[in-house]
Amino acid sequence: MDHLSFISPTRNSPWGTYLAQVEATLPYLGRLARWAETLRRPKRALIVDIPIELDDGRIAHFEGYRVQHSLTRGPGKGGVRYHPEVTLEEVMALSAWMTVKNAAVNLPYGGAKGGIRVDPGQLSLKELERVTRRYTSEIGIIIGPNQDIPAPDVNTNGQIMAWMMDTYSMNTGATATGVVTGKPIPLGGSLGRVAATGRGVFVIAREAMRRLGMPLEEARVAVQGFGNVGSVAAKMFVANGARLVCVQDHTGTILNEAGLDIARLLDHVAQHKGVVGFPGADLIDNENFWDVQSDVLIPAALEGQISAERAQRLRTHLVVEGANGPTTPDGEAVLAERGIPVVPDVIANAGGVTVSYFEWVQDFSSFFWTEDEINVRLDKILVGAFKGIWETSEQHRISLRTAAFTVACTRVLQAREERGLYP
């Protein structure tokens, strides 16, 4: 097989990780395996230059990406992240995981992802707006409500989506609310969208625990990453009787064996922008997070966190991936050897894209649902999708990840086969 010329993945790099996951799925694809090469090649990758004028009059340039991995099952769908370490390869892997995630939950989307190499903390609000608007103009040639629909991801939020929507609308001459999801409510955003990813993590974890015979009451939960996903998931676990014992974020790691007071912790984080300094907990070394005893461990930060070495140290009964790609192939092999099940990102954090889909549908029909309706529909879709993945896992005696990829890749490749090749 000729490798793509523009990247050089290693076994545990994001794209290398994705390729290994596809490889593990091949024996279960039957006749569709002849189309598998399509999974290893993104349909389209756009690299753009983003020049802006800084507040002090200097000109700065940033590198931006938008990758559409697959548009076979529908328009592209996937977030945009602002991070100084973003690379083309990382965005490619994230777009490929979106293809799998959308197909695993059976949403009518392909997979896409975007990113800008920037530290948003170093920019003023006005500079951030200029970067966002210029990026949107540059990728405007390949995005649109029926082509590719961006959403928030790491370091992006509703305000950034509002700027993207406005820029695209101004450039096309008509208000296009459906071009992005995760927008503020007054601009066609959906109720329940902000909490959806964290809610989905909890719902899927609850289903996995039920099937594994693990009680939710008094279950010890450790969470890495206390942003939108980790904090909402933690809150729902505590509301359902579990104990949040350890949290790590970009400021540090806090531990309280008796359980952290979630309401007070959320207030502290809102005020101090991080968990460190919270009076109801002890500060521990970041690396010791992986040694904390828990029933459920939720990595909800960035990819590549659970390496083989950390996997060897984990003292947990279940890993539920809130982030995208937090477990490396080597880490996963160690967890499998140790008998610690991993609920993969492509189903565990699919709540966000599911409610993004609801938002998109509501924008098209200009008819909006209540938050209760959204949560009921979200739970139903996730529980049904997880049931199919669990059954596939038991049928073939394969990991939940390989089962999720088998279900998803079968759907993608069936669509590919039926559409055929043009021209």
Side-chain angles (χ1 to χ4, degrees):
M1 181 189 89
D2 290 333
H3 287 293
L4 298 167
S5 66
F6 44 90
I7 50 158
S8 45
T10 59
R11 173 168 159 79
N12 291 304
S13 71
W15 187 250
T17 297
Y18 165 74
L19 290 177
Q21 292 163 349
V22 167
E23 207 58 42
T25 311
L26 296 182
Y28 311 102
L29 294 178
R31 63 179 171 75
L32 293 170
R34 72 181 282 251
W35 292 93
E37 186 63 23
T38 192
L39 298 167
R40 299 191 187 98
R41 293 166 181 264
K43 176 181 173 64
R44 187 182 288 142
L46 180 63
I47 304 173
V48 297
D49 177 41
I50 304 160
I52 67 154
E53 187 175 336
L54 298 174
D55 293 344
D56 63 10
R58 287 179 302 140
I59 304 296
H61 287 256
F62 302 96
E63 200 172 300
Y65 313 98
R66 186 71 186 173
V67 177
Q68 294 166 349
H69 173 261
S70 168
L71 303 179
T72 303
R73 298 180 70 252
K77 186 85 195 76
V80 175
R81 62 175 52 183
Y82 289 3
H83 197 278
E85 306 294 314
V86 165
T87 62
L88 174 62
E89 192 200 312
E90 178 189 32
V91 176
M92 274 172 52
L94 292 163
S95 73
W97 283 320
M98 284 305 302
T99 297
V100 175
K101 188 183 303 182
N102 287 322
V105 196
N106 212 7
L107 302 179
Y109 289 137
K113 204 77 176 191
I116 303 177
R117 280 178 79 89
V118 61
D119 180 354
Q122 301 298 308
L123 300 181
S124 71
L125 197 62
K126 278 291 172 203
E127 289 168 340
L128 197 61
E129 180 176 352
R130 282 178 222 132
V131 164
T132 300
R133 288 184 181 276
R134 183 63 189 237
Y135 170 71
T136 307
S137 287
E138 295 291 350
I139 66 165
I141 52 175
I142 62 166
I143 64 169
N146 293 304
Q147 283 177 281
D148 179 4
I149 305 112
D153 195 71
V154 175
N155 292 333
T156 55
N157 55 22
Q159 176 61 75
I160 284 169
M161 293 306 111
W163 289 329
M164 288 189 78
M165 189 272 276
D166 182 66
T167 306
Y168 180 86
S169 298
M170 290 296 114
N171 287 348
T172 54
T175 297
T177 52
V179 68
V180 293
T181 57
K183 300 181 294 297
I185 301 294
L187 297 178
S190 177
L191 296 169
R193 172 63 187 90
V194 174
T197 311
R199 181 186 181 85
V201 169
F202 168 74
V203 168
I204 294 293
R206 180 193 69 200
E207 293 301 301
M209 291 170 80
R210 195 166 57 77
R211 286 180 161 82
L212 292 165
M214 292 170 64
L216 196 52
E217 196 67 39
E218 288 299 305
R220 296 163 57 92
V221 180
V223 179
Q224 185 200 32
F226 206 62
N228 188 19
V229 181
S231 65
V232 172
K235 193 174 164 183
M236 290 193 70
F237 267 103
V238 172
N240 284 273
R243 260 190 303 161
L244 178 66
V245 294
C246 188
V247 175
Q248 179 180 97
D249 73 359
H250 64 284
T251 61
T253 308
I254 59 168
L255 173 73
N256 183 339
E257 296 284 355
L260 293 153
D261 181 329
I262 188 83
R264 282 177 57 219
L265 179 57
L266 288 168
D267 285 346
H268 176 85
V269 170
Q271 220 175 331
H272 301 280
K273 303 285 178 268
V275 299
V276 166
F278 179 62
D282 298 321
L283 188 63
I284 63 169
D285 186 71
N286 274 344
E287 207 43 47
N288 293 348
F289 172 82
W290 307 101
D291 303 315
V292 170
Q293 196 168 349
S294 64
D295 295 302
V296 183
L297 177 82
I298 302 171
L302 289 167
E303 59 268 9
Q305 295 300 299
I306 302 179
S307 59
E309 189 267 330
R310 285 174 175 169
Q312 203 61 63
R313 287 159 47 198
L314 284 193
R315 295 163 66 200
T316 192
H317 300 299
L318 177 66
V319 175
V320 181
E321 295 185 335
N324 292 310
T327 312
T328 66
D330 288 350
E332 186 134 23
V334 172
L335 292 177
E337 210 175 281
R338 295 186 58 205
I340 299 173
V342 178
V343 182
D345 47 8
V346 291
I347 181 66
N349 68 24
V353 73
T354 304
V355 177
S356 269
Y357 167 61
F358 296 165
E359 180 178 331
W360 183 71
V361 167
Q362 292 169 90
D363 286 339
F364 268 119
S365 59
S366 297
F367 180 81
F368 291 82
W369 312 338
T370 65
E371 192 156 358
D372 281 349
E373 284 176 303
I374 283 160
N375 287 339
V376 166
R377 287 176 180 193
L378 171 63
D379 290 17
K380 193 175 170 185
I381 284 179
L382 291 180
V383 169
F386 186 69
K387 180 174 181 279
I389 289 166
W390 186 273
E391 285 167 358
T392 302
S393 158
E394 292 205 311
Q395 180 195 339
H396 294 298
R397 298 206 173 117
I398 51 179
S399 72
L400 286 169
R401 185 178 322 275
T402 304
F405 266 70
T406 299
V407 169
C409 293
T410 298
R411 284 180 180 146
V412 173
L413 299 181
Q414 258 172 350
R416 174 75 281 163
E417 182 176 70
E418 284 173 18
R419 284 182 68 156
L421 296 175
Y422 173 86

